[in-house]
Each structure stands twice: as C-alpha cells, then as structure tokens.
C-alpha cells in the first residue's frame, strides 16, 4: 500500500459510537418508557402488541488496513469475535487486526437489552456503516467449507449519540435538575401539605428530612382539585419508611434508608399533596425535574403579548412531551401514539428540529414484523405513520432513513392492503379501532369512511415517493397506480354535490348524509380538490357554522391549517387567541388534551368518565407552534431538506412579528412589519413571496412581479436581506 | 349458590403451577441452552434466527366463586391485577376475590425472562385452563367505555412442572451429582494430568485444593487423543486463580476464591487434561455430572450379550442427549436440530416416553412468526418437524398439543408452500440448506429432490390429520387435496422403470440418473409404494450393493427401519451387530455422529476438516433403541395414544428376548422365545400377531388364523397372557 493509500484510508476513519440492529434500541427503550404509566399505583402497560429486540445479532465489517492496528471492543451481551471466519478465544476487550483485507465479525446475544457493540481503533470504528443481521446462516458442510451466505439479509447498523465507551445504550436516562416548589398550603385535616410547583412539570418527588417510621402518601395533581381528591386523582405513590429501609408499596421495591428520599417513579404534576401517616414526618419536599436536552431552535415573538404567551406555553408543552420519544401527554398516557406523534413531528420542525427524536419515534411505532394489528390498534394511526415519513423526508431530506425504514413500510402497507374492500378502500374490521377524533357528535365508524380513504391515498403516495427514493421502480409503479386509482375514486364515492362536500362514509352501499370537517380538511391540505372545489368546500364545510365544530386541539391542528392554507390567517389568529387564549385564561400552564370553551370549572378536568381523566399537558395541544412558523412567518421547505424553501410571511393582523425557523443545518430568521421585512437564510435557497401595494425594494436581488400586488424575490445568499414594501 | 354447587366447584379445583404464553418458555430456555456451545473458548451461538418470548402478556380467567377466597400471587415480571376491568393498587402478593362471577386479569412485562404467574387459592389456581394473549386491545372510548375485545386472540396458557411457588420457571436447572474420575495419568512434560472418567459424560469440572496463583488450563476430550492435543481439542477452559478471586478467562467473569472451584461451564468429555501454569497447583479433580431426571421406562434384554450392550450404550447416549431439549450431541453442537430431534422423539417413545421433552423441543424448533427461513435453515428439517407431530400424536394421542401448535403449523406450511415450484414441489432457493445426509458420494442439491417431495407429502398429510383433529374442515380439505396431488405426482416425476427406483432429482426439467436410498426408503416407510413396487424397490435399491451405502447412523435409522418393515429382522440384526458393535469394538461408550467401518485409528475422530470435529455422543447414533422396541419386541400404536396397539414379536435369530415398551399411562411387557410368549399390556387393547407352525394356545382368549402359519390374538385384558406356539 502506498503512502497515499494510507492517508486516504486514514481520512475515512469515523467517530466511533455504540451500534445495534436498526430499530431495536428504540423498541427496547420504548418498552421501558411506555411501561412507566401507572393509574393510581397500578402498573399500566400498553394494550397493543409489545415487540422486543432481536436477542442475537451479528455485526460485521470488511476491512482494508494499511497497517496493523489494535481495536478496543466493548459489548452489551455475551459475544464472540471472528476474523476471516476464525473464532478467537473468549470475549476479548482488545484485539490486534493485521494489515490487509479482512472480515471482522462480532456476534452478540443479549436477552435483556439490545445487543450493542462499540469498537475503537485508529481507523476501525463502530458506526452506521457496519452491517448487521439477526440470521447469519453461516453453516458449514462436512468438509468444514462455509455455506454461501448470499442469502443473509444485512441492514446497516443503528446508532444514536452513544459515542462514549463508558455509556452503553442500556444506561440511557434523560437529564435531571433539582427544582423547588413555589408555595405550600397546610391541610390541617390530616396533617398533609399541598405543594405548588408553579407550573405543569415532570419528574420525581424528593422527600427531605423524613423523621420516624410509617407510610407517606403522595397524591399528584395537574390541578389542585386533583391533588386533593385522594380517592380520584390519577396518580399517587405510597412510600413506607421503616427502620433500615424505604419501600415503594406499589412495586414492593426497597432500598436502604439514607438521607433524602427521591422516588424512583417520575410523575406529571403541578401540585403534590404529601400526606404522612401516623409516626412519620416529612420535613420538606422538592423535585428532580426530568427532561430531554432538546434546544429551542425555533422562536416567535410579535406585537400581541397573548399570542407570545400562547407560543411560549406551546413550546413548553412540546418540551415536556418530547422525551425518550414524542409522547401524547405526560400524566396520561405517557405512551407513543402515532396520530399524536405525527403532529409532534411537524411542531418539532418549527421548534427543536430534532430529527433523532422523529426517527426514534417512527421506529418504535412501527415495531417488528409480523404486523398483527394497526399501529396502536388504530386504523388512522397506521396511515399517519406513513404520512409522518413523507413529512420527515420533506423537512430533512434524509434519504438514509427512508432506505432504513422502507422494508418495514412495505410490510405494514401489505397489512393495510390486505384489509381493503373490493373497491380498494379500508373499512374497520374486527379489532380495528377506527378513531378519527374525540367528537361531541355521533359519528359512524362503520363502512368506508371518507377520512380514512383520504389518509390511505396520501399513504400510498408516500410509498411511491419512498420507492422512488430508494430506486425501486416496480414498487413505485405499483404504489403510484394504487394511489392514483384510489384518488380517482374519492369524489365519485363520497362527493355530495348538493352539500358541496365529501360525506362522512359509505355504509352497506349507502352514501351517508353526514358532513363533517375531517375528510374535507385533509383533502384541502393534501391538495386533493381542484381550486374551484376547494373554494366551494371552504364555504360549504370549513366556514359553515352548521357543520359540527371540532373540540380537540388535535383536529383543530388540521382544521386551522386548512384555513391558513387558504389565506385566512386573520381569522385563524382570532381563533387561536380565543381557543388557546381560552385555556390560558383557565390557568393553563401547558396545553390540554381537549378544551371545550362552553365547559366551566372542574368540567375542564374530566374525561373518559373520570373526574381528572383529562391530560392537561398534551402534545397535540401545542399546534400554534406549527401554524405560526409555517403560515405566519410562512417558512416551509419546497424541496427536501430545505434545499429549496419558500417564505410567505402573513401578519394576519399583527403589527409586527419576528422569529426563527430551524432548517437541517441552519435557520431562516425573519422580522416583518407592514413596511419592512428582514430575512436571513443560512442554508438553501428559495423565494420570498410578498404582497405589496408598490414594487418592493431590497438590498439584494430584485423582485419579480407574479400577479396583482404579488411579488417574489430569489434568495440565494446567506446574508440578511432588507425589504421595503407596503403591506396590502 | 347451593351447597351442591359449591361442592361441584370445589371438585373443579386444580393443582396450581407456573404458567406462561405457550411456547415462550421453551424459546427462552432454548436460547439459554443453544448459547452454551463454545469452540475452543469462543462463544458459539446458532446461525439461525433466534426468537424471544413475548415481553408483555396478559393472563385471564373467568371466575364463578361460591364464596370469597384469597389467592396468593407470584409473578416473574412487573405486573398489575385487574378484577372486572378495575386495576388494583400496586403488585399485590395476596388478593381477596369476592364470591360470584368475575373476570380476573393479570398483565405482566418482563424483558429478560418469560412473563409467568403462579396463583394459589382454594379453587382459583393457575393452570393450563387460563387464557393468555400478547395483544389485549382493551382500549376505552372518551366516555370510559371499554372496547369490544372480541378481536383479542387468546391461547391457553403454557406450563410444565413448576408446581412450587418458590421455584419460578426462570430458575430451572438440570439435576447434578458429584462424580469422580476412574484413573489418572501424569504427564511429566508440562506437569499436567490426564483424568479418565471411565465413559462419555457431561458436566462441570471441579478443581480441588488449588494452591497458589496462576492459570489452570483445562482441555477436554471425548478421546485421549483430543484431550492431549492442546492445539486442536474442540473445547477448553482457562481459569485464572488470583489472590482473592477466580476468573474464567473466556467470559471474564470472576467470583470470590473460596474452597473447591466448580466451573460455570458444562462440557462433554470422557478425558480431561488439567494443566496448571507456573505458580499454581491443582490438588485433585472431580466433576459435577449434569443430567435430565428422565426415567428408563423402556427395557430390552436378549440372548445376545453384544446386542444388550448396544441397547445399553444406546440408552445412555439418549440419556446424555436428552436434556432441557433433545439435542444432537453433547460436545457439539449442543443445539436442537429438527432432523435429529425427530429421531430422538421416536427413540424416546421406546425408552423414556417423556412427552414434555418432545413438546418442549417441538415448540422451540418452531419459534415465532414470521417464518423467515427453514427450521435450522434446512429444508428437510422443516418437513421433519411436521412429521414429528404426526408421530407424537400417534404415540401419545395428545389432542391438546395439536390444538396448541396447529396455528404455528399453518404459518410454517404457508412458508413452505410459498417456496414450491409450478409443480407444487420444493426446490432449494437462496438461503435454503438442502441437507439430506452427510454422504460419501456426490449428490446434487439442485432442482426438485425426490427425497424432499416424499417428506413434503408426509408433511401435508400431517397437516390434514391435524386439521381433522381440531375440526377445521376447510383446512383438512385443502391439505388433503395438496397431499393427494403431490403423492400422485411422485412416481410420474421420479420413477425410473428401468432402474425400478425413484431417482434422486429432476433438475432443469431433466430426470437424474442417480439412484440412492433416501427417497426410496422413506417411500417404503410411509407406504407410498404399492406392495409389488415395494418388493421391487427392496431388491433394486435397498438390497442392491451397487446403490451407494449409507454411512451415518442418522440415515441408517430409516434404512434399517425399511428393512425391518419388510420382515428382514434377521439381516438387520446382523447389521446392527456389525455397525453398532463396530463402534463398541472401537471403544465407544456412547454412539457417534458418523461411523465408517473402513476408517481406522484417529480417522474415527475427525470430521468437518477438524481432527476432533466428530461428536462421539450423538442422539442419532442410538437408533437400535427404536428398532429393537418397534420391530423386534414389535410393539407399536395402531390408534393414537395406544388406544389400540399391535404386538408383532420377531426374534430375528435371537434365542430369546424380553423387554418393556412404555405407553402414555402404562406399559407393554414381553418375554419371547421360540415356543413361549408372555405378554402384558397395562393399558389399551390390540392384537398379538405371531407366526407359528401350529395353532398357538394361550391362557386368555383364542387365536384367530389370518394366513399361512399366521395367527392373531385379541388382547383386551391388563393381565399377563402366556402363549405356547412353535416358531416358524
């Protein structure tokens, strides 16, 4: 090998990190997280199929070394090391690789946690280029000759950010930080105290200076009503202080009694009622706040203080629900739900732009084959899962992830297509939960729902997109045809020309007379109506007071998006201030699972037939984060990963606004008032679209007129551009 | 509830036992066992897909209690308890059940070991009547109303013999017993000693009175040559004795140094060479013999001492290889292989009649869906798996097991049928190992092998049988038709009328000219030839010296069976004495993986290109156990579970023989010489068939003449019957 070759190889050296079978770490970590839910001291695991990691995995790498090198090996599991097919003694932690071309294989078995390895050498390092398989098929024949292993299906190794040999993936924990309550009230009735931590929060309670022996009961509340309703609060803990040890009475786990006692369990609360029984006294209470170290890369500020508060509380809601994965709510369910997650992804692109959390969540939701039910058992949630990948690719341009996940997209779509009727439409079958929304009006879940078919159509389009990305022409052709066929059937099947709307469903061959917003708004958002039909549907459905109102922030997300997409920012701004402002006026410090403005008092806390069943910190409550970034600051990707962007600021009645939208490797920042726009995009290029009474002037490039009072400016600089214009 | 009702329910109380999701315990225990293989100190897991248990399982039982009762609850895993849909606080170890009708649910999560529960009450006890699911789909709607759970697929709980609350299934270990060596030889060259334990054995070496610090190297041999060939013996251990602790240098696991040191690892050996390095001295060596507590219920003794020795060594070989599961060999591979196991099952029916081990092995081999490869990656081994169930049902009559395993039989058969060619025949595809046998002659594995199609046909017949048993008429019809279609094609496709034989294969549309015994003997054994064709094939193939000889005990099993089935017991007896007697004359204390009488000296030890690669204790070596029970004592089931049996004793040249064949709940014992037969069957009924020059006389019933010198006697008593006859 020449000197040049050695240098070239040296350059190829990569940063070492812990690696595993792709998706397996997420499944394992997801089990650990999903199984943290409790209900009044009872363990409450998910009711859908819980998958697990492959317990035996082989990692391999083809080497071509200019000179010998020694690698360090760390493994989670029992393992062997094979060089060129020859097993080495024991489980070596260091290994000398000879120069030249070699095959290095490490095979690991681990029942409890995902088999993972970490290799550190001069040029040989564990990273995402390693191949992995759970089925190596390396038999030998009688003469000792190895089998043809061309049948082995390899994947590229999965990894995250475990770059340190001393912190293997199974040791992962979120960050923590001590926090104190802001006020306390003594309850004289039973000697307990109600601690208020000032706002919705999450973590472990700390009991300080506990004196004596006995049980301490801890009741949590997102509201004071909940914390003080000992018989109905959703979460509680009972801790027994004995002479030498402390026992969690729910799990029967004990540890040595020593100093302050921090509970093992994490809970969501603002209020904690701590009630020591006879014989024991709690000196003080604090908490260990637990959080994911994600960074607010998106910002928003404007002339309206209430809207600023809404953005801040939305961002905090997202921060609390962005954890090991994007979860629904921090009190309940503390689970990963696909319909909730796909909205978190979109908000994330305007807030954290944390792609690893999107990928982790997508992998966990998908789980392993065989597919035996819809994701979370919900038909719509399976379909959202595909759409989430569409969005992810558009925002990030991450082809590698599409390649990784595509095989599991296919097997999930096989399952979906195996459940379609003769018209290629999805109807709920036994065991399918057809969800749509928590609606306050009766809604049939039978037959073919227009809503589900619109989502299916987009899912099939996503399959075509991804097949194109990975270069599978046959698949692309097949999915493209299925998508086109279904799309061509949507209007003939569901359109009611007298109502100018898609009706709710077709049941037993009969077209329903119910019109609601669900399918219609998704069809608008996906561009499934032509321009005149869209305008008709806006009037006949979206702005028609006779069509039943949506009462969950979940579906308001899509509803308001469809209004914004039609340029109704001013109206939407009013609705945001009414609806999310309404929650703030009710004292919300994070946004809720559901909000009905006509409820009052403790009605706001109830759901699922339980007085405190409602989650008061629910990710889907935070949609203004997305709407303000995408439809007011007006920043969105036009080509994958912001290679091309568009910026269409809309003040929507505000005097001014400013903010930042993160992009994969940079950001787009804006200041906008009715005469001045300042814009800076640190990566990509694209157009700024504005309406102006006169031709706008700028310190870079020149505006092109594209319609009445409509102009655009090509932004192909990373410097700040100042635009003077006259707002229409 | 009336007094009578209470009594009736009391009668229904069952013995409590640990229960789990069916098949999951076997998969977990199988992983633990299969991963015990090492090769010269390197961990050596299987190369096929390793499955794992469901990590979250819900157990449920519908109760109808005459009076309240308290149950004890023990669980392996984190769990909750739900009565009538309501979760209870914590993880209670005692629970008061109210009288009346109730639903009790216990849901368990356990990543490391199978979720298992043990319930002990007066009438409510965990047993095989409990329902289990891994996907309970019990969502609630907004009002708190539970979903329709009719979609939940329940199975009946799996269990074995863990009847004690204090010994949960994950703590299972085989039995052990201290044993000593019988002789020792000092090796002056390096101070090591060679210990001879007298015969092939299995367990952990014990190092006694170790003085000083340093490494002790332990080399194992099934032969002295192997134990003394430090560079080539198949298994070895290196133990480091330090000042305060002892470390296994292969696993890097340490423990406190205290007294005698018993290795964690179990090994197969007769000879152990213990070689302490500088600074350390080993005072003495012993072993802890490890074994499954199975009982020799079958016996055989005859006038030929060599044959008795063969039976004894065969029984010991079976005992050594009957462990957590039926494994192939105790030195290598220590794995569960389907082709090997199906023979162990048959030998087991004539030796231990241990049904739990058959069921455990069958479940482990099958593993979980999705099926991504043939069992053990071998096409023939998938097919044997089905046939093993056919045999199991015939010998045991266990319908419950057929019901349990049928869903996994179907998905495996789906996989098989998904890999057939246009003629419905199996050809090896990428990743399929088409094994057949370790043969000393060239044999194509391409195209459609007649051998594989014969096994496929029997597998399809097994599917039909089992579909009939569980009452699935549609499936029975479908599999019956597929079996009949394939069987009708066998002769047209593979028969060579000039050779009077099935040829080896059809490749690229061309019928091979090779004739070997494999397909022909299976077709004889399965009754796929008519009577005249069978006679032709006996001459043209089975007894034709020009057809290549079989050199593995594995295929000799089926070869000799086909000769016996044609009444050639006298010839087979000679072959048994030649072949198995040959191994004994070479010093075998257990039977081998392969034996070629023309080899000599250390040639007998080599295989797979390695000087000691051959296993000298291989289950498939023990076939005389099966042949002597079934074709000499002549005992076999005619209807499932010996409801009806047949006894057709054949002395095959012996002066006398006696023995016992176990049945599910009893045994059939026989003494036979050329004038006297004594027979006793403690369950079932059936016919004794004998050939006699005169009409036999007996002290029970009367003989019926059924042909020239052929008679039969109905045995429908459980008392001993004495028959006087005159041997033909």
């Amino acid at each position: 090998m020449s000197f040049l070759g050695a240098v070239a190889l040296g350059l190829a050296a990569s940063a070492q990190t812990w690696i595993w079978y792709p998706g397996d770490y997420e499944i394992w970590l997801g089990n650990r997280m999903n199984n943290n839910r409790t209900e009044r001291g009872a363990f409450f695991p998910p009711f859908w199929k819980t998958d697990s990691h492959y317990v035996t995995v082989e990692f391999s790498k083809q080497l071509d070394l200019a000179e010998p090198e020694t690698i360090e090996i760390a493994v989670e599991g029992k393992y062997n090391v094979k060089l060129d097919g020859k097993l080495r003694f024991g489980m070596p932690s260091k290994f000398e690789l000879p120069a030249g071309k070699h095959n290095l294989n490490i095979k690991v078995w681990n029942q409890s946690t995902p088999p993972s390895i970490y290799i550190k050498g001069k040029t040989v390092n564990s990273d995402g280029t390693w191949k992995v398989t759970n089925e190596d098929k390396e038999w030998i024949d009688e003469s000792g000759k190895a089998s043809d292993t061309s049948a082995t299906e390899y994947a590229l190794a999965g990894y995250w950010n475990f770059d340190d040999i001393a912190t293997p993936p199974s040791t992962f924990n979120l960050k923590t930080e001590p926090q104190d309550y802001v006020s306390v009230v003594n309850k004289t009735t039973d000697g307990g105290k109600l601690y208020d931590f000032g706002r919705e929060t999450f973590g472990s309670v700390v009991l300080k200076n506990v004196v004596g022996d006995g049980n301490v009961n801890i009741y949590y509340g997102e509201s004071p009503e909940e914390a003080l309703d000992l018989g109905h609060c959703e979460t509680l803990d009972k801790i027994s202080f004995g002479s030498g040890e402390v026992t969690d009475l729910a799990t029967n786990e004990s540890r040595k009694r020593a100093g302050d006692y921090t509970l093992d369990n994490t809970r969501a609360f603002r209020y904690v009622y701590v009630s020591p029984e006879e014989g024991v006294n709690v000196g003080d209470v604090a908490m260990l706040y637990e959080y994911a170290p994600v960074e607010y890369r998106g910002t928003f500020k404007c002339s309206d203080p209430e809207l600023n508060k809404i953005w801040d509380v939305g961002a905090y809601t997202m921060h609390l629900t962005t954890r090991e994965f994007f979860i629904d709510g921090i009190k309940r369910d503390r689970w990963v739900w696909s319909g909730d997650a796909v909205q978190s992804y979109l908000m994330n692109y305007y807030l954290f732009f944390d792609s690893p959390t999107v990928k982790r969540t997508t992998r966990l939701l998908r789980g392993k084959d065989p597919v035996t039910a819809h994701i979370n058992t919900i038909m719509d949630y399976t379909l959202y899962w595909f759409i989430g990948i569409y969005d992810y690719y558009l925002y990030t341009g991450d082809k590698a992830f599409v390649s990784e996940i595509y095989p599991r997209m296919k097997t999930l779509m096989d399952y979906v297509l195996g459940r379609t009727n003769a018209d290629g439409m999805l109807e709920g079958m036994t065991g399918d939960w057809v969800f749509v929304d928590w609606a306050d009006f009766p809604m049939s879940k039978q037959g073919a729902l227009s809503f589900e078919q619109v989502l299916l159509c987009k899912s099939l389009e996503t399959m075509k997109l991804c097949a194109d990305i990975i270069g599978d022409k046959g698949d692309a052709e097949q999915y493209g045809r299925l998508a086109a066929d279904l799309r061509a059937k949507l209007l003939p099947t569901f359109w009611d020309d007298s109502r100018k709307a898609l009706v709710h469903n077709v049941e037993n061959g009969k077209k329903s007379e119910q019109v609601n917003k669900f399918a219609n708004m998704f069809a608008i958002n996906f561009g499934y109506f032509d321009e005149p039909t869209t305008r008709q549907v806006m009037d006949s459905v979206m702005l028609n007071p006779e069509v039943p109102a949506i009462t969950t922030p979940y579906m308001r997300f899509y509803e308001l998006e469809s209004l914004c997409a039609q340029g109704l920012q001013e109206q939407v701004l009013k609705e945001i201030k009414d609806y999310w402002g309404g929650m703030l006026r009710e004292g919300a410090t994070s946004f809720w699972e559901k909000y009905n403005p006509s409820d009052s008092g403790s009605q706001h806390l109830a759901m699922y037939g339980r007085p405190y069943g409602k989650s008061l910190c629910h990710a889907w409550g935070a949609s203004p984060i997305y709407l303000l970034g995408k439809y007011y600051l007006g920043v969105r990707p036009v080509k994958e990963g912001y290679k091309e962007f568009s910026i269409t600021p809309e003040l929507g009645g505000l005097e001014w606004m400013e903010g930042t939208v993160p992009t994969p490797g940079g950001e787009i920042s804006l200041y906008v008032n009715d005469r001045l726009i300042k814009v800076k995009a640190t990566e990509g290029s694209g157009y700024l679209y504005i309406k102006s009474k006169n031709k706008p002037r700028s310190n870079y490039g020149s505006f092109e007129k594209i319609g009445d009072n409509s102009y655009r400016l090509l932004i192909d600089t990373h410097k700040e551009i100042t635009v003077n214009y006259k707002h229409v």
Side-chain angles (χ1 to χ4, degrees), chain A residues 146-202:
Chain A
S147 63
D148 171 16
T149 60
S150 60
T152 303
E153 280 184 31
Y154 292 104
L156 290 173
Y159 61 96
W160 182 13
N161 60 359
F162 298 98
D163 299 338
D164 183 358
I165 193 167
T167 54
S170 76
T171 63
F172 173 77
N173 278 309
L174 294 174
K175 302 276 184 219
T176 57
E177 198 170 89
Q179 287 191 357
D180 292 321
Y181 58 86
V182 297
S183 68
V184 59
V185 180
N186 287 333
K187 289 280 148 187
T188 46
T189 41
D190 69 346
K193 291 181 184 180
L194 179 67
Y195 298 87
D196 177 1
F197 284 83
R199 63 172 178 170
E200 178 84 15
T201 190
F202 186 93

Side-chain angles (χ1 to χ4, degrees), chain A residues 31-55:
Chain A
N31 291 356
R32 204 181 74 169
M33 196 204 54
N34 279 334
N35 284 312
N36 271 330
R37 177 176 181 181
T38 60
E39 195 173 291
R40 294 190 63 75
F43 166 57
F44 196 152
F47 49 74
W48 53 78
K49 185 182 67 153
T50 301
D51 292 305
S52 195
H53 58 274
Y54 290 129
V55 296

Side-chain angles (χ1 to χ4, degrees), chain A residues 446-465:
Chain A
Q446 304 301 311
L449 273 65
S450 52
F451 168 76
E452 302 288 348
Q453 313 323 314
V454 170
L455 295 187
L456 174 57
C457 191
K458 187 71 175 176
S459 301
L460 287 165
E461 290 170 3
T462 301
M463 289 306 299
K464 179 186 178 336
L465 171 82

